[in-house]
Amino acid sequence: MDQGDAAVWAAGIGVIGTAIGAVGGYLAGRAQGKATVEGVKLQLEGQREDAVWQAELDAFAALIDQFNAARMQIGNVVALFDATQRERRHLASIGFGTREEAFAGLTACVKEVVSRENALRLRTAPAYADAATAVRERLMEVMEPARAWCVAREERARGTASLRQELDARMDTYRAALDSLVEDSQGRFSRPRLER
């Protein structure tokens, strides 16, 4: 092979090498691009799962806060309806309001519980939503004797002791159900998201 043929042959090999390099680069770039797209998809899925998990956690926290607000408001109502007229004036001066205002506040609080429970149902599995509904049902069971006891106290009726005992018993059941929901929620949300 003379020098001219060798140069042509070398140039041909160079062109083939360049073409192979270009194809290899194209395939590597394509693979890298595909890997990047897959990585972005995984990242977006992870962000979506995190957002859904956070929304569920926030919904549980809001509902539990409202359950506790109802619990406190029941205490306020009982305190005002148990108090003497003089004690009620003192309680009103420190922000407790009147008996009527306290009961209206409790009613509004219970309505907000129902609203937050409905919001939770959109963000969690049915079994977890059902556990929250069970607590709300215990709260509604408290409202029946609470209303009857408050009316009897307002009218100064006799025999309010049995109504109060029923109210206290149902309140104990409500507290236990709420405490159980809180404990279960803390256990579930304290674990890493991937373990749930």
Side-chain angles (χ1 to χ4, degrees):
M1 178 176 338
D2 67 4
Q3 227 178 357
D5 289 337
V8 170
W9 190 76
I13 294 291
V15 169
I16 292 173
T18 302
I20 290 173
V23 169
Y26 168 76
L27 293 175
R30 187 171 174 196
Q32 183 180 9
K34 186 176 180 179
T36 300
V37 168
E38 291 300 317
V40 168
K41 283 181 182 178
L42 283 174
Q43 181 181 6
L44 291 175
E45 285 176 26
Q47 288 173 348
R48 182 188 172 283
E49 287 176 11
D50 285 346
V52 168
W53 181 85
Q54 188 64 51
E56 181 184 12
L57 173 64
D58 292 345
F60 265 100
L63 180 59
I64 288 170
D65 283 349
Q66 196 61 37
F67 277 140
N68 279 311
R71 186 176 179 172
M72 294 296 292
Q73 193 62 30
I74 291 167
N76 291 346
V77 167
V78 169
L80 284 167
F81 278 86
D82 249 353
T84 64
Q85 191 171 9
R86 181 172 169 248
E87 290 169 333
R88 284 196 308 271
R89 279 195 304 270
H90 173 70
L91 289 171
S93 73
I94 59 172
F96 277 72
T98 66
R99 287 175 165 182
E100 295 76 18
E101 290 168 339
F103 202 86
L106 174 57
T107 301
C109 202
V110 171
K111 286 179 182 178
E112 186 62 24
V113 163
V114 173
S115 175
R116 291 187 185 187
E117 176 195 353
N118 289 334
L120 175 71
R121 280 207 169 274
L122 299 173
R123 292 170 175 83
T124 194
Y128 299 130
D130 291 346
T133 297
V135 177
R136 195 248 318 137
E137 289 170 350
R138 299 302 76 79
L139 173 59
M140 299 310 263
E141 290 170 359
V142 170
M143 293 300 291
E144 296 168 25
R147 189 173 289 111
W149 178 76
C150 289
V151 167
R153 291 290 292 175
E154 188 67 28
E155 295 173 352
R156 299 175 190 224
R158 294 186 181 269
T160 60
S162 63
L163 287 172
R164 178 61 190 268
Q165 287 174 345
E166 184 179 356
L167 171 59
D168 290 344
R170 290 190 184 188
M171 190 64 188
D172 288 344
T173 303
Y174 171 58
R175 276 191 208 104
L178 177 54
D179 290 347
S180 178
L181 178 69
V182 168
E183 185 178 328
D184 290 347
S185 298
Q186 286 173 332
R188 197 159 62 91
F189 288 110
S190 66
R191 291 191 308 269
R193 181 178 53 81
L194 297 175
E195 292 179 15
R196 297 184 316 115

